Every structure is written in structure tokens, then in C-alpha cells.
């Protein structure tokens, strides 16, 4: 089999890239290790930047998001027993959209099916090769995989590595070509999805002496809540009642409780691999970088990467010009590092670090006080949260 762009991974990055290419008349094949039901049911991030909303709408997959998504014009910071609002609309003229990642994935899969374009689930043993970029080559990048017990080969012009942090694409790049920058945090988030009306109409990020907590939501009847915990936290030690009372204590809000639909522990890491390509293999999304979830940036970074990659591929297929493709990594990384900085900063601002002493805790609170009392400081948070421009 042969295609123009082989896309490995059907998360937000791979699926959106496939849709952007299809809109531009560029062929692709998407290969995904997991079954469709798994992808559509997996609960993950939920905040879309202003610009991500515009990209999804322009990609023709915005209808359900505009109908069911919840536009938010601000967030609350909770500390010293009080909520303080950061007003995005006033500070930036922009808003974000609450819409679950698995809903974005569902919309993109539906679009791919409607377009009758190839998207294969439950594909095994994917390997990528021959992606070096040499002016004299006649051979092409190649993807091998197994589907329904049969070995398959896919020849292509380019490979898009959209296969997440644990995927094969980044690992297939020779080690000497990549520099990895990483920080692993000494805490994790215990996440709860519950059938309970959210106690606030906007998100609450809490810095409490017991640790960080976050109140988020998926709809007017479904709450998404998080608690700072240990990376090795044993969920058996956290029966629902304990989680609710801990959330209540940290958020300082009277929470409506309800049936718990899902409970999990997410480790926290900052990670960047540079450059984001090797020859004709381009990494996008979690395959290239991970942010701690405090700034709500993971899905948005994936969307920005493939928007840039889609434009670069379009320019190549229109005119044969490889300039934008050659610049892909540098273009993405300029923004990725700013978003890494913001995600690290939000994390450092709101969590308890076991190495912190009383001085550090006072300093954190002073910084929060500063943010809510200075328009300039609030604006810095707001413009990053609603999303920095693509370039
Ligand atoms: N072969 C085929 N598919 C693979 C392989 C493989 N060897 N390895 C991984 N995959 C698939 C995974 O099953 C997953 O569906 O690649 C997909 C990667 O998707 P995501 O992990 O969702 O990554 P991405 O599309 O970059 O989206 C980033 O996900 O983790 C969140 O916070 C993050 O919101 C951000 C978003
Ligand atoms: C979520 O709703 O899942 C969510 C919201 C904000 C974050 C992280 C996750 O910072």
C-alpha cells in the first residue's frame, strides 16, 4: 500500500492532522494500536484554548463542540480561604471552551468515517524506517505493521509520529539526534469524574495547605475534580467519601456529591524532545512533549503542532517547497517552550512541594496575592491560559 502521509496514532494530534490534510486534498492513512471504543471512552483533558476552538471549527469538526461545549470567560484562584476571579474576557477579550478530549476524538473519528478515509484500529507491531532526508533518494519512508494477523507495508512521502509519549516514532529516531529535556514532579493528580453538578460555574484552582485541588467539569451535571497526591498513591486508600471530604477541605466549597464514574492517578512530568523531526519523520503532540496538566495545555499543544505541520505539508504538495517542513521543529518549539514555562509556573504556584519550607509557602501566597491584585500579573496568567498565538 502507498499513501502520501502515514499517521501513527489516533489521538487528537493524529486525527486532526488527518482531517486537515483531507481538507487540503492530501492523502493519509491513520494507524492506531487501540480499539475505537477505548479512544472514545478514555477520560482526559477538557479545556480548549480560544485558538484551538477556531482550528477545530475551521477543520469542520466544531458543530457538537459549539453546541455542547461550555464557554468559560474566567477561572477562580482559591487561597487563604477565598476565591479570586481571573476575568479572561476583560483581560484578553478571549475565552476558553470546556469540552472533553474524548469528545474531540469522537468528532474527529466521525469526520474520518464520513469522509471514507483510511483509519485502522487495533494495529500491532508498528515500525517506521527509511525516513532520512537526502536529495538523491528515490526510496521512500516505510511503515510496517500487523493487522488482523497479516503483515502490511505502507510506503509514504512522510511519517507523522502522533503516537503519544510511549509511542514508537520518537524511539525510532537515532539517540544521537535527539536532546531530551525533562522534569518529573514529586506528586501526581488523583482525578475523579462524578455525576454531580459542579459547585462552581467556572474552574477553581486551589492552593491549600493540604495540597493542590482543582474543580472542573464536563457538563452542568458532570464534575471533574482533582487532588494533589503521591505518584505511587494507592487508590484503595481513597474510598469515594475520603476523596470528597478532602476536595471539600481544599477547595473550601460545599460540593454536591454523586456517583463516581471514574477514578485514576496521573503522574506529572515536563518533557521536550528536540528537534521534533528526523528527516521525513515529524513528531507532534505528546510524542514530542509532555506538560503537567496544571495549565490545561496538553491537547492544545497537540492541536497547534498539527496545524503547523498541516500547513507545512500543504505548502510542500502545492509547490514542492520544503522550507516550512524544514522549519517545522523550530516553529513549534518556540511556542512549546513558552507553554512549558507556563505549565511549570502554574504547577509551582499551586502545589505543595515536600522540599518547600515555610518561606516557600509564604512566597507562593504572596505571588497569588500579587496576581489577583495587579492587572499586569493577572493579564500574564490570562493571556497564557487562553492561549499564545501560533507564531
Ligand atoms: N502504534 C499505533 N498507535 C500507537 C502506538 C503504536 N505503536 N503507540 C501509541 N499509539 C496511539 C495511542 O494508543 C494513542 O491513541 O497513539 C495515540 C496517541 O494519542 P494521545 O496519547 O492522545 O496523544 P496526542 O494525540 O499527542 O494528544 C495529546 O493527550 O495525553 C493527552 O494531555 C495530553 O491532551 C493531550 C493529548
Ligand atoms: C479537566 O477538566 O480535565 C482539566 C481542567 C483544567 C486543567 C486540567 C484538567 O488544568
Amino acid at each position: 500500500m502507498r499513501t502520501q502521509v502515514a499517521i501513527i496514532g489516533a489521538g487528537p494530534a493524529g486525527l486532526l492532522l488527518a482531517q486537515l490534510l483531507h481538507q487540503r486534498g492530501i492523502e493519509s492513512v491513520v494507524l492506531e494500536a487501540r480499539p475505537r471504543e477505548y479512544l472514545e471512552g478514555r477520560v482526559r483533558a477538557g479545556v480548549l484554548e480560544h485558538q484551538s476552538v477556531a482550528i477545530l471549527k475551521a477543520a469542520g469538526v466544531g458543530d457538537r463542540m459549539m453546541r455542547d461545549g461550555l464557554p468559560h470567560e474566567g477561572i477562580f484562584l482559591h487561597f487563604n480561604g477565598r476565591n479570586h476571579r481571573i476575568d479572561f474576557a476583560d483581560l484578553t477579550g478571549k475565552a476558553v471552551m470546556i469540552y472533553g478530549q474524548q469528545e474531540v476524538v469522537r468528532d474527529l473519528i466521525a469526520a474520518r468515517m464520513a469522509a471514507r478515509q483510511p483509519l485502522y484500529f487495533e494495529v500491532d507491531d508498528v515500525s517506521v524506517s527509511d525516513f532520512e532526508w537526502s536529495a538523491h533518494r528515490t526510496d521512500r519512508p516505510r511503515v510496517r505493521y500487523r493487522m488482523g494477523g497479516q503483515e502490511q507495508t505502507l510506503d509514504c512521502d512522510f511519517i507523522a509520529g502522533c503516537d503519544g509519549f510511549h509511542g514508537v516514532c520518537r524511539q525510532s529516531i537515532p539517540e544521537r539526534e535527539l536532546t531530551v529535556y525533562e522534569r518529573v514532579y514529586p506528586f501526581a493528580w488523583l482525578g475523579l469524574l462524578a455525576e454531580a453538578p459542579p459547585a462552581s460555574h467556572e474552574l477553581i484552582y486551589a492552593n491549600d495547605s493540604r495540597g493542590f485541588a482543582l474543580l472542573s467539569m464536563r457538563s452542568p451535571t458532570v464534575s471533574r475534580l482533582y487532588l494533589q497526591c503521591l505518584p505511587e498513591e494507592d487508590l484503595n486508600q481513597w474510598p469515594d467519601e475520603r476523596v470528597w471530604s478532602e476536595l471539600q477541605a481544599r477547595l473550601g466549597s460545599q460540593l454536591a456529591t454523586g456517583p463516581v464514574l471514574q477514578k485514576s492517578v496521573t503522574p506529572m512530568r515536563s518533557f521536550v524532545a528536540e528537534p521534533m523531526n528526523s528527516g521525513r519523520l515529524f513528531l507532534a503532540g505528546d510524542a514530542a512533549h509532555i506538560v503537567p496538566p496544571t495549565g490545561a495545555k496538553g491537547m492544545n499543544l497537540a492541536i497547534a503542532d498539527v496545524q503547523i505541520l498541516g500547513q507545512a505539508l500543504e505548502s510542500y504538495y502545492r509547490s514542492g517547497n520544503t522550507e516550512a517542513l524544514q522549519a517545522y521543529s523550530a516553529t513549534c518549539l518556540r511556542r512549546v517552550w513558552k507553554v512549558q514555562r507556563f505549565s511549570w509556573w502554574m504547577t509551582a504556584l499551586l502545589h505543595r512541594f515536600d522540599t518547600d519550607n515555610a518561606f516557600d509557602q509564604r512566597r507562593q501566597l504572596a505571588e497569588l496575592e500579587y496576581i489577583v491584585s495587579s492587572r499586569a500579573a493577572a493579564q500574564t496568567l490570562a493571556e497564557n491560559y487562553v492561549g499564545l498565538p501560533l507564531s
Side-chain angles (χ1 to χ4, degrees):
M1 206 179 9
R2 165 154 180 80
T3 189
Q4 290 177 303
V5 183
I7 300 176
I8 318 301
L15 290 166
L16 178 59
L17 179 63
Q19 175 69 3
L20 295 173
L21 295 179
H22 176 64
Q23 277 186 317
R24 289 157 177 78
I26 301 166
E27 270 178 27
S28 66
V29 172
V30 185
L31 302 176
E32 165 59 48
R34 304 281 194 158
R36 177 176 180 175
E37 304 70 45
Y38 175 87
L39 304 183
E40 293 187 340
R42 179 168 51 170
V43 183
R44 296 173 88 182
V47 180
L48 289 166
E49 290 175 354
H50 168 80
Q51 171 175 253
S52 301
V53 169
I55 293 172
L56 291 169
K57 275 164 76 175
V61 288
D63 291 355
R64 222 161 53 90
M65 171 183 72
M66 296 312 287
R67 196 190 64 209
D68 298 344
L70 308 171
H72 279 197
E73 295 193 339
I75 54 168
F76 291 100
L77 297 176
H78 178 87
F79 59 95
N80 282 341
R82 278 188 55 205
N83 279 349
H84 305 260
R85 185 158 186 267
I86 305 292
D87 187 333
F88 298 154
D90 172 48
L91 292 162
T92 68
K94 293 176 185 154
V96 295
M97 180 77 89
I98 307 300
Y99 191 62
Q101 180 170 315
Q102 83 268 35
E103 304 301 333
V104 173
V105 163
R106 196 172 292 183
D107 295 341
L108 285 164
I109 292 176
R112 187 77 180 165
M113 298 291 171
R116 299 181 180 284
Q117 294 300 305
L119 159 56
Y120 302 121
F121 298 102
E122 300 181 67
V123 158
D124 295 316
D125 295 340
V126 172
S127 67
V128 295
S129 61
D130 303 287
F131 46 78
E132 304 82 11
W133 205 322
S134 136
H136 307 291
R137 291 169 53 85
T138 48
D139 53 341
R140 293 283 181 200
R142 175 161 282 190
V143 182
R144 291 192 177 80
Y145 60 100
R146 206 149 42 79
M147 197 165 63
Q150 299 268 24
E151 302 289 337
Q152 308 277 352
T153 303
L154 178 60
D155 291 312
C156 55
D157 301 331
F158 300 100
I159 301 170
C162 303
D163 51 351
F165 185 64
H166 301 286
V168 296
C169 290
R170 189 182 68 253
Q171 291 166 25
S172 305
I173 298 177
E175 218 170 287
R176 62 177 185 281
E177 285 183 31
L178 285 186
T179 307
V180 163
Y181 301 87
E182 188 169 28
R183 162 169 288 191
V184 177
Y185 296 87
F187 41 73
W189 281 11
L190 193 165
L192 203 72
L193 186 74
E195 225 172 279
S200 159
H201 70 290
E202 287 176 339
L203 275 58
I204 305 176
Y205 287 84
N207 175 319
D208 184 76
S209 57
R210 308 164 71 101
F212 170 79
L214 169 61
L215 178 150
S216 180
M217 64 213 65
R218 286 295 175 274
S219 76
T221 56
V222 176
S223 296
R224 181 78 173 134
L225 298 143
Y226 298 96
L227 278 179
Q228 175 181 352
C229 65
L230 294 171
E232 61 280 2
E233 199 78 54
D234 175 8
L235 276 178
N236 293 322
Q237 302 299 311
W238 287 90
D240 297 352
E241 312 74 60
R242 180 174 174 212
V243 180
W244 285 115
S245 78
E246 190 64 26
L247 283 165
Q248 206 121 297
R250 295 188 193 184
L251 287 161
S253 299
Q254 195 56 46
L255 302 177
T257 63
V260 170
L261 306 172
Q262 199 245 15
K263 195 162 33 174
S264 60
V265 173
T266 314
M268 310 261 283
R269 156 196 319 266
S270 298
F271 175 96
V272 182
E274 293 193 15
M276 283 172 58
N277 77 305
S278 169
R280 293 167 178 259
L281 167 62
F282 293 87
L283 303 177
D286 278 12
H289 40 67
I290 297 283
V291 285
T294 327
K297 292 301 179 199
M299 174 166 49
N300 295 294
L301 273 179
I303 291 173
D305 286 352
V306 297
Q307 173 76 4
I308 293 167
L309 184 55
Q311 285 168 350
L313 287 165
E314 179 181 22
S315 149
Y316 171 81
Y317 282 111
R318 280 244 171 100
S319 61
N321 189 339
T322 59
E323 222 169 276
L325 282 173
Q326 308 272 14
Y328 168 74
S329 172
T331 307
C332 288
L333 284 169
R334 267 195 297 280
R335 192 168 179 283
V336 165
W337 273 109
K338 289 182 193 153
V339 177
Q340 285 287 350
R341 183 212 67 84
F342 175 68
S343 303
W344 160 83
W345 174 77
M346 282 283 279
T347 304
L349 178 69
L350 293 165
H351 289 76
R352 274 296 103 193
F353 287 72
D354 47 17
T355 48
D356 277 4
N357 60 19
F359 173 87
D360 297 301
Q361 290 171 16
R362 285 298 175 99
R363 181 185 43 76
Q364 260 186 347
L365 293 174
E367 186 159 12
L368 284 160
E369 280 292 352
Y370 172 56
I371 293 165
V372 301
S373 60
S374 151
R375 188 174 172 87
Q379 210 156 24
T380 297
L381 191 162
E383 74 169 352
N384 280 278
Y385 198 99
V386 301
L388 296 175
L390 266 200
S391 54

